[in-house]
Amino acid sequence: HQFSEVPFDYEIDGVKVLSPKYLMLPKVSERVHSKLIATRISPLIKKLIAEKSIDVINSQWLFPDSVAVDSILPEGIPHIATGLGCDINDDLYDPRKRQQIKNLLHSVNSLTVMSHEHTNKLVAEGVQVEKIHVIHNGVDQDKFDIRTRSESLEILGLKKDAQHLLY
């Protein structure tokens, strides 16, 4: 319900954001999830191309988002697909999604992933390593730094000889 309240288009810091909605039935539509997205975004992509508003597309999640984009994107517009974790660790090995993802891996211009482990999994699937770029999740080192256990306990006001559960 809350996501249906997100407007179709809005701005964040001067950048126009488009949030098309599409039908999805959890578990039921899993195999065709990318087709449902593609059906909904195809007219939007065509319109943006006609307006010359697209130079490159970076789609997030190999499945279903990147598969959907790749199925409708015309030749000549570079497509960078980003794998974010479960799409590489799980979806790539799910028989309902595997072939769609494998086709995507070989058709996109470039891939970004979050770890070298993800790179290794994609290379094992036949993707050229030169096509893959690792972008690690980042930490603002001005706000966070590594401290010893005793320093951390002192800052948090916790007893050094007690057990602590952090969540």
Side-chain angles (χ1 to χ4, degrees), residues 34-64:
S34 61
K35 289 176 179 51
L36 295 171
I37 294 173
T39 299
R40 181 64 177 110
I41 66 171
S42 181
L44 178 60
I45 296 288
K46 287 177 183 174
K47 178 179 182 263
L48 292 171
I49 289 170
E51 294 171 355
K52 303 205 182 316
S53 297
I54 296 179
D55 296 313
V56 63
I57 290 187
N58 175 226
S59 55
Q60 307 294 303
W61 299 106
L62 299 182
F63 188 89

Side-chain angles (χ1 to χ4, degrees), residues 82-100:
T82 297
L84 296 169
C86 66
D87 49 353
I88 296 172
N89 296 327
D90 300 326
D91 293 345
L92 181 56
Y93 306 102
D94 181 331
R96 297 171 298 169
K97 305 169 190 174
R98 182 172 173 73
Q99 194 57 54
Q100 293 177 70

Side-chain angles (χ1 to χ4, degrees), residues 4-167:
S4 66
E5 295 172 7
V6 173
F8 177 79
D9 62 342
Y10 53 97
E11 264 190 42
I12 297 177
D13 295 332
V15 176
K16 185 174 182 177
V17 177
L18 302 174
S19 295
K21 310 298 181 278
Y22 58 93
L23 175 68
M24 189 195 112
L25 303 171
K27 302 291 182 196
V28 176
S29 63
E30 192 74 23
R31 174 174 286 177
V32 295
H33 195 166
S34 61
K35 289 176 179 51
L36 295 171
I37 294 173
T39 299
R40 181 64 177 110
I41 66 171
S42 181
L44 178 60
I45 296 288
K46 287 177 183 174
K47 178 179 182 263
L48 292 171
I49 289 170
E51 294 171 355
K52 303 205 182 316
S53 297
I54 296 179
D55 296 313
V56 63
I57 290 187
N58 175 226
S59 55
Q60 307 294 303
W61 299 106
L62 299 182
F63 188 89
D65 305 48
S66 295
V67 169
V69 168
D70 205 58
S71 72
I72 61 169
L73 198 60
E75 196 73 28
I77 296 182
H79 182 195
I80 301 166
T82 297
L84 296 169
C86 66
D87 49 353
I88 296 172
N89 296 327
D90 300 326
D91 293 345
L92 181 56
Y93 306 102
D94 181 331
R96 297 171 298 169
K97 305 169 190 174
R98 182 172 173 73
Q99 194 57 54
Q100 293 177 70
I101 296 171
K102 285 191 68 147
N103 292 344
L104 166 81
L105 296 175
H106 297 287
S107 69
V108 294
N109 300 83
S110 188
L111 293 150
T112 57
V113 296
M114 296 173 35
S115 72
H116 292 291
E117 179 185 349
H118 291 153
T119 297
N120 294 339
K121 288 181 179 186
L122 297 182
V123 169
E125 296 297 329
V127 178
Q128 297 172 346
V129 71
E130 300 81 21
K131 194 176 190 177
I132 306 168
H133 308 276
V134 177
I135 302 173
H136 297 282
N137 281 342
V139 173
D140 185 339
Q141 293 181 335
D142 292 331
K143 293 182 180 178
F144 301 95
D145 59 358
I146 298 173
R147 297 195 171 134
T148 66
R149 182 176 191 274
S150 59
E151 285 177 302
S152 298
L153 291 171
E154 185 176 324
I155 290 168
L156 294 170
L158 300 173
K159 296 178 183 176
K160 292 183 181 184
D161 58 348
Q163 288 187 345
H164 305 282
L165 175 64
L166 301 177
Y167 183 81

